[in-house]
Amino acid sequence: MSHILSLQNAGVSYHSLSGETIALQNISFHVEEGEFLSIVGPSGCGKSTLLSIIAGLVEPEEGSITTNGCRIGYMLQRDHLFEWRTVLKNILLGPEISHCLTLDKRILADRLLKQYGLYPFKDKYPSELSGGMRQRAALIRTLVMEPDLLLLDEPFSALDYQTRLNVSDDIYRIIREEHKTAILVTHDLSEAISLGERIVVLTKRPGTIKDIITIDLSIDNEERTPLLSRDAPEFKTYFNLLWKELNT
Amino acid sequence: MNIFANLQQEYLKAQRFRKRTIQAVRFFILICFLAVWEITADLDIIDSFFFSSPSRIIRTILQMANDYSLFHNIGITLLETVFSFVLIVLISLASAMLLWLLPSFSEVLEPYLVMLNSLPKSALAPLFIVWLGANTTTIIVAGISVALFGSILNLYQSFKSTDEEMEKLIYTLGGTKWDVLSKAILPSNIPTILSSMKVNIGLSLVGVIIGEFLAARAGLGYLIIYGSQVFKLDLVIMSIVILCFIAVLFYGIIGLLEKHIKRAA
Ligand SMILES: Nc1ncnc2c1ncn2[C@@H]1O[C@H](COP(=O)(O)OP(=O)(O)OP(=O)(O)O)[C@@H](O)[C@H]1O
Ligand SMILES: [Mg+2]
């Protein structure tokens, strides 16, 4: 398998008059094509910053990032659906901005909307959607850009527990079906284990890599879903391992 | 089901009744005011030479309507106000956008804008007359000057405080700073733009009247000044009453626009 992304000793700090905040230091890892990687770490350790440098929104001050030229889609912590646009128009925001609003894109948008149960709502406004539907709409908005690598920043954190389980199942399935590579940031350990194939554990600020854990569950990889993963016998072991990593 | 439908009906009925009562009371207050004004003037309790009276105002209106001079003067004031209002909206939108696109530039300009905004604009009107002459241009510039700087500052402040994450979203979709402005900032600030329009229409009327006091040969501001100089106070008070109606009219039009935009959105 080839690396879709690799980071070498990447570091970022934020500067302000009152001082320097080192957000990330000495981050090195790589992501393989088709992989689902989770990132966990304490609040404020630089997880969102890490996604921002991968997406190219923030330049790393040290080290380097190399991609194989893949397209990157970034789903932010909150959905930020525009209330003045219908669901469909929100989803077509990306193509509209990059002036590639072709018929193909419209067909793709319709297909994704149908496939993920939002088609009947395409002319509604975001305020009429439930939390889970909003999250799916935000994901489709990212997918319409046909990214190869998806960055997900705590996409489920705004949802209640029940919805969260369902939506994470949904989104996992969508990402698998579309054959994407994904990096998921979360502070929910169960979520990290149930979705990820590998987990990058970050330390408190300044965020450095504490460990990278490969998740090997005794479930058929083809049938794996987040809900099934939670029932795997190894799940608890990984949970305890992660818990210890984050609390020592 | 039926019970709920009935309750809903009752609720709607109560609301309609409430609304009608409020309108009736409003109207009643107006009638009382006019009646007391008319009666006290007729009984010479107040001096109708100074305070005029509804009937004298109506007589003046009819007189001036006869030779069309009333419509001419109202028309002039309306045109000047609309003209300066449109210019205020366009200039302040464009300036606020420019300030947002160029943060360093706006930081440099901010104290000057604040100063210009707090300056009493009527102090500038005599200067405009000297620079531009006693003509319509001066009056429109006076109308603009009253509201412009406040409007720029208000819009810019509101653009600046738009959620930064929205900005980030546009960048993640490959957008530029211009896309942030046109796709996120402007549409999300439409309520602010509308409420600033509401303030501006009132202020441009104020500015135009100040301008007309000093530089006009026609218009309601001119009628007020002229009337007070020749002691035709009926004329003055009539003009003020008409100004009241104009203010309400403008406010109503922007209210309609607001409703229309909300429905379209
Ligand atoms: N624009 C910024 N300017 C200055 N400091 C910042 C900025 N953005 C983030 N930081 C700081 O950098 C650190 C890392 O922030 P980041 O948002 O990446 O953390 P996070 O791990 O995503 O946190 P959370 O779990 O709360 O989402 C934080 O301490 C934050 O205060
Ligand atoms: Mg974060």
Side-chain angles (χ1 to χ4, degrees), chain A residues 48 77 153-154:
Chain A
S48 298
Q77 213 157 343
D153 195 350
E154 305 197 26

Side-chain angles (χ1 to χ4, degrees), chain A residues 19-65:
Chain A
E20 183 186 34
T21 313
I22 303 173
L24 290 171
Q25 222 172 24
N26 212 6
I27 303 285
S28 307
F29 66 88
H30 56 83
V31 183
E32 276 161 17
E33 218 170 314
E35 186 180 20
F36 204 122
L37 184 80
S38 301
I39 297 176
V40 295
S43 187
C45 73
K47 301 183 295 293
S48 298
T49 308
L50 183 55
L51 292 190
S52 292
I53 58 174
I54 295 172
L57 300 178
V58 175
E59 281 287 311
E61 293 183 318
E62 297 164 359
S64 66
I65 293 188

Side-chain angles (χ1 to χ4, degrees), chain A residues 78 80 84 96-97 125 141, chain B residues 163 165 169 175 183 187-188 265:
Chain A
R78 284 187 291 146
H80 288 292
W84 58 88
E96 191 183 313
I97 284 173
Y125 287 91
R141 181 180 58 198
Chain B
D163 195 340
E165 285 261 310
L169 171 75
K183 301 276 191 272
S188 71

Side-chain angles (χ1 to χ4, degrees), chain B:
Chain B
M1 185 65 210
N2 229 336
I3 291 175
F4 287 120
N6 278 340
L7 287 177
Q8 173 68 11
Q9 284 299 320
E10 254 164 55
Y11 170 80
L12 288 178
K13 225 166 156 186
Q15 285 303 311
R16 263 197 302 270
F17 178 72
R18 200 182 113 87
K19 208 171 161 189
R20 252 187 247 137
T21 317
I22 287 176
Q23 270 166 352
V25 172
R26 277 181 190 155
F27 192 66
F28 179 73
I29 290 174
L30 180 68
I31 296 293
C32 282
F33 174 74
L34 291 176
V36 169
W37 190 5
E38 183 64 44
I39 292 165
T40 48
D42 285 350
L43 299 177
D44 277 331
I45 300 172
I46 58 171
D47 189 341
S48 58
F49 177 75
F50 289 114
F51 295 102
S52 192
S53 73
S55 60
R56 291 177 71 136
I57 289 172
I58 289 169
R59 221 173 303 136
T60 318
I61 288 179
L62 291 177
Q63 242 167 33
M64 291 186 68
N66 245 344
D67 60 0
Y68 299 109
S69 62
L70 180 69
F71 306 119
H72 177 66
N73 284 299
I74 293 177
I76 296 256
T77 301
L78 280 180
L79 266 182
E80 286 165 347
T81 308
V82 168
F83 215 81
S84 37
F85 168 72
V86 170
L87 284 173
I88 290 169
V89 172
L90 293 181
I91 297 173
S92 61
L93 259 180
S95 315
M97 283 162 68
L98 199 68
L99 290 175
W100 187 85
L101 286 168
L102 306 167
S104 309
F105 177 64
S106 61
E107 207 171 319
V108 170
L109 285 191
E110 211 164 318
Y112 294 107
L113 281 173
V114 170
M115 184 188 67
L116 284 171
N117 183 39
S118 26
L119 193 73
K121 304 314 172 299
S122 43
L124 297 176
L127 265 185
F128 294 150
I129 296 177
V130 176
W131 290 341
L132 304 167
N135 52 36
T136 320
T137 316
T138 303
I139 295 165
I140 289 171
V141 170
I144 293 173
S145 69
V146 171
L148 184 64
F149 303 107
S151 176
I152 294 175
L153 282 173
N154 179 27
L155 289 179
Y156 173 56
Q157 199 56 46
S158 149
F159 286 5
K160 247 195 346 191
S161 49
T162 309
D163 195 340
E164 272 178 38
E165 285 261 310
M166 250 187 210
E167 198 174 331
K168 195 170 167 190
L169 171 75
I170 301 283
Y171 290 132
T172 65
L173 294 172
T176 58
K177 199 155 186 192
W178 174 254
D179 290 314
V180 175
L181 188 63
S182 62
K183 301 276 191 272
I185 304 245
L186 280 181
S188 71
N189 277 292
I190 282 180
T192 315
I193 295 172
L194 283 170
S195 74
S196 115
M197 281 168 89
K198 267 190 190 164
V199 175
N200 289 340
I201 191 77
L203 286 179
S204 55
L205 189 58
V206 171
V208 161
I209 296 298
I210 294 174
E212 283 182 350
F213 279 178
L214 299 169
R217 291 284 156 269
L220 292 169
Y222 165 75
L223 289 186
I224 290 172
I225 284 293
Y226 170 78
S228 70
Q229 280 164 353
V230 299
F231 276 94
K232 275 181 155 177
L233 294 171
D234 290 336
L235 190 60
V236 176
I237 293 176
M238 175 204 76
S239 305
I240 293 171
V241 169
I242 292 175
L243 276 177
C244 289
F245 279 109
I246 290 179
V248 171
L249 176 80
F250 279 144
Y251 209 75
I253 290 175
I254 299 207
L256 279 182
L257 186 71
E258 203 171 8
K259 246 192 211 156
H260 185 76
I261 286 177
K262 277 213 185 105
R263 209 171 323 125

